[in-house]
Amino acid sequence: MGVKTMFKWSKQITPCQVSQLIRAEKDVNKALVIFDAATAEYANGFRHDSSTFSLMISKLVSANQFRPAEDLLDRMKKERCNITEDIFLSICRGYGRVHRPLDARRVFDKMKEFECEPTERSYITVFSILVEENQLKVAFRFYRYMREVGIRPSVASLNVLIKALCKNSETMDSALRIFREMPNRGCTPDSYTFGTLINGFCRLGKINEAKELFKEMETKGCSPTVVTYTCLINGLCQAKNVDEAMRLFEDMRSKDIEPNVFTYSSLMDGLCKGGCSSQATELLQRMVSKRQRPNLITYSTLINGLCKEGKLQEAVEILDRMKLQGLKPDAGLYGKIISGFCEISKFQEAANFLDEMVLGGISPNRVTWSLHIRIHNMVVQGLCKTDPNRAFQLYLSVRTRGISIDTQTYRTIITCFCKKGDMHKAARIVDEMVLDGCVPDDGTWSAVITGFWDRQKVREATELLLVELMYKYAEPEEDIQNQDV
């Protein structure tokens, strides 16, 4: 009802008018209200057709609202509206995009039920989604089913099959065999076929086989694409053949094939792992000059390399550049910089980056959780040497956020406050240590006892107590003599 007040329907509603309104509405829920409002105008004889249904389903799928999209499919069937193959494929691709390949297969199976005969395009689309999402057993069964229903092998279907076989080292030979048999089946391998095999070989560390295929590709008049070059460059870098990768990089540029962000990132990774972070930094400048936007992987690679070589100031500059570009560093990246500062005993700087990370709302995930614990403990221990008060504040913050404190950190901070003579803090930390289920060791107890003993009043009281105990519990000499008798 709210949408009706927003605009006035014309006397004769047309699918074109409805489509324009739906297309102009960015909010998918409001678009659905418009869609339903149009059908309420039955007095004017309007019914949705294939174009309006298709547009609304596409809009719902883009917003990951799959259930309402499939409900509209059922409604199309009830209203005897023509359901095209493209409508089904838009839903299948949507499921593929959100990593739900089995739902894509389920929707494909509904096609015949809706009297929509799938063509080769539908079979290949679903087959590709299953392979892309590593549902390989289902994918191979689906391929056999394709052959059974009479779908003839094509370059497109064989490319997907080869991609599936390239995912495992055990089936790589089968992928190569199908590639060799392609001409006999009337299919000429294309750039995608070669690229898939080259990528497969590189992933398995079989660089020589990948290089041979690359040469063969050029002799057969099949031009390598930026993807093919990038796959081989990445493989060479992983095999520590960075010089050869750089030659290949120059070769692609001489052929006017523009490197993409993945090409640059692969090369920079190879250079950083080889201890050449300065060259990698130069490559970043070259990349930016070519109007290529570095991504999170590009920056992470370079920061890791610079930290590894102790070039922390340069790493911080790259981190700032990254933030200016609107990219948010993750816990792992901050961890590298914080660890780097700890290694050169610059614990204040490390603590500043730790604060920046926490204030930025960067929380660890399952993978970076152990790193998170390690760097927090490392900074607390380091600050005990230079700034005990900040160490204590960070210790409190760590506990509040539920990050584990290890035994060595407890021992370091307790010893620190015992030496300072701040036994109130030391005693509090011991209590919290025990509450956390962490048993103080001999070194920790020794530090606490020494701390209390060094206080003059405690020493005097202890000496008086010892005298009193000796007087109270030592047996008089005459009693001992009587016992002997």
Side-chain angles (χ1 to χ4, degrees):
M1 290 296 289
V3 172
K4 279 192 175 186
T5 60
M6 287 164 60
F7 57 85
K8 195 174 188 324
W9 291 105
S10 60
K11 287 185 180 179
Q12 188 63 45
I13 302 172
T14 64
C16 182
Q17 183 191 9
V18 177
S19 294
Q20 281 177 342
L21 288 165
I22 292 170
R23 203 173 275 115
E25 181 53 67
K26 289 181 181 178
D27 186 321
V28 69
N29 295 317
K30 288 180 183 176
L32 193 57
V33 174
I34 292 169
F35 181 86
D36 290 332
T39 51
E41 304 290 319
Y42 274 144
N44 295 325
F46 178 78
R47 282 182 179 272
H48 286 294
D49 64 5
S50 186
S51 67
T52 53
F53 268 117
S54 175
L55 178 62
M56 195 63 241
I57 287 171
S58 175
K59 207 153 181 109
L60 287 164
V61 167
S62 297
N64 297 338
Q65 293 196 22
F66 296 101
R67 179 57 65 84
E70 290 197 49
D71 288 344
L72 283 187
L73 268 183
D74 295 331
R75 186 168 153 186
M76 284 181 83
K77 186 181 178 183
K78 281 179 189 172
E79 295 183 18
R80 298 189 178 182
C81 190
N82 179 39
I83 306 175
T84 63
E85 180 182 40
D86 284 335
I87 293 174
F88 278 101
L89 288 185
S90 72
I91 299 174
C92 288
R93 290 191 191 102
Y95 276 128
R97 179 173 44 77
V98 296
H99 313 296
R100 290 169 62 180
L102 299 181
D103 278 312
R105 171 69 206 265
R106 177 182 57 76
V107 170
F108 169 84
D109 289 338
K110 285 172 77 170
M111 287 176 77
K112 287 184 181 176
E113 178 193 321
F114 281 68
E115 296 178 0
C116 179
E117 192 63 37
T119 65
E120 180 188 357
R121 189 159 65 100
S122 290
Y123 282 99
I124 293 172
T125 299
V126 174
F127 181 35
S128 180
I129 289 167
L130 292 169
V131 170
E132 198 65 45
E133 295 301 316
N134 289 315
Q135 290 286 338
L136 298 182
K137 286 184 180 178
V138 181
F140 289 130
R141 280 201 302 271
F142 188 78
Y143 183 74
R144 283 196 293 273
Y145 170 64
M146 282 170 65
R147 298 299 305 275
E148 285 165 14
V149 297
I151 303 294
R152 292 177 62 79
S154 63
V155 175
S157 65
L158 290 174
N159 278 349
V160 178
L161 180 61
I162 287 168
K163 185 174 185 176
L165 294 165
C166 283
K167 285 185 177 269
N168 291 317
S169 55
E170 298 82 17
T171 52
M172 196 70 207
D173 290 340
S174 301
L176 198 59
R177 190 178 66 251
I178 288 167
F179 165 73
R180 297 296 177 204
E181 289 172 2
M182 279 178 78
N184 300 333
R185 301 186 187 192
C187 302
T188 306
D190 59 13
S191 296
Y192 188 89
T193 324
F194 278 100
T196 302
L197 282 162
I198 288 167
N199 187 40
F201 279 126
C202 286
R203 220 165 29 82
L204 297 172
K206 297 184 175 181
I207 302 301
N208 291 330
E209 288 88 336
K211 281 158 67 177
E212 287 301 315
L213 266 178
F214 189 79
K215 286 177 192 169
E216 184 183 330
M217 184 178 187
E218 292 186 308
T219 58
K220 291 193 174 173
C222 193
S223 301
T225 64
V226 63
V227 176
T228 322
Y229 269 107
T230 302
C231 287
L232 190 51
I233 284 169
N234 185 53
L236 288 165
C237 287
Q238 294 301 316
K240 299 181 180 175
N241 296 343
V242 183
D243 291 339
E244 198 173 344
M246 283 298 287
R247 285 196 295 273
L248 199 61
F249 175 74
E250 297 301 341
D251 178 58
M252 74 182 287
R253 293 184 70 251
S254 68
K255 291 177 181 173
D256 292 327
I257 298 169
E258 197 60 45
N260 61 23
V261 64
F262 302 106
T263 323
Y264 282 106
S265 297
S266 297
L267 265 176
M268 286 163 68
D269 185 50
L271 288 165
C272 286
K273 282 177 179 170
C276 302
S277 60
S278 297
Q279 274 182 267
T281 308
E282 287 170 19
L283 204 58
L284 178 72
Q285 306 299 348
R286 194 165 161 182
M287 179 183 182
V288 173
S289 71
K290 294 287 181 184
R291 299 190 183 281
Q292 285 277 3
R293 280 174 70 83
N295 61 16
L296 195 62
I297 294 168
T298 320
Y299 284 119
S300 300
T301 299
L302 193 49
I303 289 169
N304 285 344
L306 290 165
C307 288
K308 191 177 167 185
E309 292 178 41
K311 297 175 180 175
L312 288 164
Q313 197 50 52
E314 290 175 51
V316 170
E317 284 169 16
I318 298 294
L319 186 78
D320 290 339
R321 188 170 177 169
M322 176 184 177
K323 288 185 284 188
L324 282 170
Q325 196 180 303
L327 294 171
K328 193 175 183 181
D330 59 11
L333 211 50
Y334 270 111
K336 287 284 178 189
I337 287 176
I338 292 163
S339 298
F341 277 116
C342 287
E343 280 167 22
I344 57 171
S345 298
K346 290 194 172 182
F347 298 106
Q348 296 284 357
E349 287 87 341
N352 292 341
F353 278 104
L354 205 54
D355 289 344
E356 185 182 302
M357 181 177 78
V358 173
L359 288 168
I362 296 159
S363 54
N365 56 31
R366 190 168 49 84
V367 177
T368 58
W369 183 251
S370 59
L371 168 74
H372 219 62
I373 292 169
R374 187 172 64 81
I375 59 174
H376 275 81
N377 280 276
M378 198 190 304
V379 177
V380 171
Q381 288 180 41
L383 285 171
C384 286
K385 300 170 191 172
T386 57
D387 191 346
N389 290 330
R390 192 167 183 188
F392 185 68
Q393 291 305 317
L394 182 57
Y395 159 78
L396 294 176
S397 168
V398 169
R399 277 183 60 82
T400 305
R401 286 181 287 124
I403 296 167
S404 309
I405 295 167
D406 61 36
T407 309
Q408 183 56 44
T409 305
Y410 273 120
R411 182 176 179 176
T412 304
I413 198 166
I414 289 166
T415 304
C416 169
F417 284 108
C418 287
K419 283 180 179 174
K420 273 189 76 184
D422 192 341
M423 299 312 297
H424 178 73
K425 280 195 179 85
R428 171 185 170 167
I429 296 165
V430 170
D431 284 343
E432 289 168 348
M433 181 181 186
V434 174
L435 281 170
D436 284 349
C438 197
V439 179
D441 58 11
D442 291 346
T444 310
W445 284 126
S446 177
V448 174
I449 291 165
T450 304
F452 277 113
W453 184 256
D454 284 343
R455 295 172 120 188
Q456 188 64 31
K457 287 180 182 177
V458 173
R459 189 184 301 142
E460 288 171 7
T462 308
E463 285 170 354
L464 285 169
L465 179 66
L466 283 170
V467 170
E468 190 180 327
L469 288 169
M470 286 174 71
Y471 178 77
K472 187 174 182 180
Y473 292 105
E475 291 177 293
E477 192 176 335
E478 61 214 33
D479 290 348
I480 294 169
Q481 287 173 356
N482 289 337
Q483 283 173 14
D484 288 342
V485 172

